[in-house]
Amino acid sequence: MSNDLIFYTNPMSRGQIVRWMLEETGAPYETHVMDYASSMKSDEYLAINPMGKVPAIVHRGKVVTECAAICAYLAEAFPEAGLAPTDGERADYYRWMFFAAGPLEQAVTNNFAKFEPSAEQERSFGYGNYDLAVETLAKAVSAHPFVTGDRFTAADVYVGSAVTWGVAFGTLPKLDAFLAYSERVTDRDAYRRGKDKDNALMPQAAPA
């Protein structure tokens, strides 16, 4: 296993997104499983991610955190995997990857916390309101087979993870558009390999 690429994760975390992306690249990587109560808060790991959260990667000595950033980075670092956008795909690729990382994430977490912005507050919130964010996402994932068109890219790893997790755990409604998109993006060997690896690690990690 190469230590050029080190993956810090916990299988019961958003690290599953990055695990999937790493499997899609086909690149060798070393996995460090972090514990929420101890190693994730150690001085050694805080030097990598001061937030004390996973996932993170270190590639050739450079740290990348935040799942969307890691997905975008890995797509460029390993172009032979064909996960980065073409010129014609680039606009939708970045638009929807960062929509999911920004407005959608805010909308989902606030809705889960039972916070509903007032009409006045909606003007200063990046997502407006939860229903608007959900409707916008549903249109995006049903416009084409994949986020950028007919081809799977790294954007589908991130957006697909958000949709798949959301419908499974009830933070997104089980709309036909979401269910169909989730089925398309998870019908991949890399997704199954990643899930198998994380599932095998579950007994070794404490829940969040």
Side-chain angles (χ1 to χ4, degrees), residues 106-115 130 165 169-171:
Q106 295 173 45
V108 165
T109 54
N110 281 347
N111 186 68
F112 180 76
K114 310 299 184 188
F115 176 77
Y130 174 80
W165 193 93
F169 291 95
T171 59

Side-chain angles (χ1 to χ4, degrees), residues 11-12 33 196-207:
M12 299 177 71
V33 177
D196 287 346
K197 289 180 179 181
D198 280 326
N199 287 340
L201 291 170
M202 288 289 184
Q204 302 175 30

Side-chain angles (χ1 to χ4, degrees), residues 11-13 15-17 19-21 23 29 161 164-165 168-169 186 188-202:
M12 299 177 71
S13 76
Q16 291 190 25
I17 302 170
R19 173 80 74 183
W20 179 10
M21 182 64 194
E23 292 296 322
Y29 63 94
S161 294
T164 300
W165 193 93
F169 291 95
T186 60
R188 299 179 63 81
D189 289 342
Y191 175 82
R192 288 186 280 270
R193 286 196 306 272
K195 291 296 286 186
D196 287 346
K197 289 180 179 181
D198 280 326
N199 287 340
L201 291 170
M202 288 289 184

Side-chain angles (χ1 to χ4, degrees), residues 42-196:
S42 68
D43 290 342
E44 181 182 9
Y45 186 67
L46 291 175
I48 293 169
N49 187 356
M51 294 291 289
K53 294 183 178 295
V54 291
I57 64 167
V58 178
H59 183 224
R60 297 176 179 172
K62 297 294 186 179
V63 175
V64 189
T65 63
E66 314 314 316
C67 291
I70 295 171
C71 287
Y73 174 87
L74 289 172
E76 294 185 19
F78 300 98
E80 63 277 11
L83 298 165
T86 64
D87 287 346
E89 295 168 339
R90 190 168 287 115
D92 284 339
Y93 176 92
Y94 285 110
R95 177 186 182 185
W96 296 116
M97 183 184 291
F98 291 104
F99 173 83
L104 181 69
E105 174 79 7
Q106 295 173 45
V108 165
T109 54
N110 281 347
N111 186 68
F112 180 76
K114 310 299 184 188
F115 176 77
E116 184 176 346
S118 66
E120 183 176 345
Q121 288 172 323
E122 286 181 10
R123 293 199 295 270
S124 60
F125 277 57
Y127 64 89
N129 61 65
Y130 174 80
D131 289 341
L132 177 59
V134 168
E135 179 184 354
T136 301
L137 179 65
K139 288 179 180 177
V141 300
S142 57
H144 310 285
F146 300 104
V147 166
T148 64
D150 293 328
R151 193 176 72 91
F152 182 94
T153 67
D156 293 294
V157 174
Y158 190 80
V159 177
S161 294
V163 170
T164 300
W165 193 93
V167 297
F169 291 95
T171 59
L172 288 174
K174 292 185 178 180
L175 302 180
D176 289 345
F178 292 158
L179 296 173
Y181 174 68
S182 176
E183 184 176 354
R184 287 194 296 274
V185 298
T186 60
D187 186 23
R188 299 179 63 81
D189 289 342
Y191 175 82
R192 288 186 280 270
R193 286 196 306 272
K195 291 296 286 186
D196 287 346

